């Protein structure tokens, strides 16, 4: 269980601005459980420095909102690792998940330990990654993608990439 000083440090870090280079990718994640607990839909958006856009929208089984948020972050990080992104700034509107990721090892939320461990392992494979909290109204695209995944009865493509004219698709 986290101590008050650890929690305060995570809350402060979650809101701290991160300087980034022109090569940095930005990403947003969100998860939905309908009902809660219920069907999970995950959504994530990665935007590259050259206008690249990768959307992730898919069902992710059954669980609660904490599972959904973590699974969305995991999917986003798996894509970032696959693409070998050099610098990544990640935003999510789940204070529970963002603070959990930023807490010292062994201090996180109960019941989410396996997800937290997976996120830590993925982050360790990236050269530079920062996770920050944003209010829900600044996470609209990821929310839209997660809601679409829950509502859609058909399986959705794991990710699509849209790039500026003249660039190749993945």
């Amino acid at each position: 269980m986290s101590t008050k000083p650890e929690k305060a440090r995570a809350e402060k870090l979650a809101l701290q601005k991160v300087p980034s280079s022109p090569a940095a990718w930005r990403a947003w994640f969100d998860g939905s459980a309908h009902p809660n607990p219920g069907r999970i839909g995950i959504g994530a958006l990665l935007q590259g420095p050259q206008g690249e856009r990768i959307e992730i929208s898919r069902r992710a089984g059954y669980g609660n909102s904490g599972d959904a948020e973590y699974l969305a972050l995991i999917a986003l990080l798996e894509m970032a690792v696959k693409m070998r992104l050099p610098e990544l700034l990640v935003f999510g509107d789940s204070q529970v998940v963002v603070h959990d990721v930023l807490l010292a090892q062994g201090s996180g939320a109960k019941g989410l330990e396996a997800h937290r461990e997976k996120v830590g392992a993925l982050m360790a494979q990236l050269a530079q990654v920062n996770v920050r909290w944003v209010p829900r109204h600044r996470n609209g695209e990821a929310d839209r993608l997660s809601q679409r995944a829950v509502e859609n009865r058909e399986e959705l493509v794991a990710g699509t990439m849209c790039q500026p004219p003249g660039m190749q698709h993945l």
Side-chain angles (χ1 to χ4, degrees), residues 29-35 38-45 55-62 68-69 71-72 75 140-159:
F29 71 93
D30 202 7
S32 300
H34 292 279
R39 288 186 324 269
I40 291 177
I42 61 171
L45 171 65
E55 293 181 353
I56 300 169
S57 181
R58 66 175 180 244
R59 288 191 183 169
Y62 183 88
E69 294 282 356
L71 291 171
E141 284 294 305
D143 179 60
R144 179 186 62 78
L145 292 165
S146 72
Q147 295 297 327
R148 184 175 80 184
V150 170
E151 293 167 3
N152 196 341
R153 294 189 185 276
E154 297 177 23
E155 283 301 309
L156 297 171
V157 176

Side-chain angles (χ1 to χ4, degrees), residues 2 7 14 23 28 32 34 45 51 75-76 84 86 88 94 99 117 141:
S2 63
K7 199 170 192 176
W28 295 261
S32 300
H34 292 279
L45 171 65
L76 182 155
R84 296 184 179 122
L88 181 63
S94 170
H99 292 170
E117 186 175 312
E141 284 294 305

Side-chain angles (χ1 to χ4, degrees), residues 43-144:
L45 171 65
L46 289 92
Q47 288 186 329
Q50 303 300 317
E52 304 93 338
R53 181 180 172 95
I54 299 170
E55 293 181 353
I56 300 169
S57 181
R58 66 175 180 244
R59 288 191 183 169
Y62 183 88
N64 62 39
S65 59
D67 294 319
E69 294 282 356
Y70 252 120
L71 291 171
L73 176 57
I74 288 167
L76 182 155
L77 292 171
E78 286 173 341
M79 180 65 74
V81 167
K82 180 179 177 182
M83 295 175 63
R84 296 184 179 122
L85 298 182
E87 187 177 346
L88 181 63
L89 180 53
V90 178
F91 300 99
D93 62 24
S94 170
Q95 288 183 339
V96 170
V97 171
V98 172
H99 292 170
D100 201 45
V101 169
L102 297 175
L103 283 169
Q105 189 64 25
S107 302
K110 299 297 179 210
L112 298 173
E113 298 89 353
H115 295 316
R116 184 172 187 239
E117 186 175 312
K118 176 77 172 176
V119 165
L122 289 164
M123 288 175 64
Q125 295 177 55
L126 296 167
Q128 184 177 346
V129 60
N130 289 286
V131 179
R132 295 295 185 263
W133 177 82
V134 292
R136 179 170 299 280
H137 71 274
R138 292 186 50 208
N139 201 32
E141 284 294 305
D143 179 60
R144 179 186 62 78

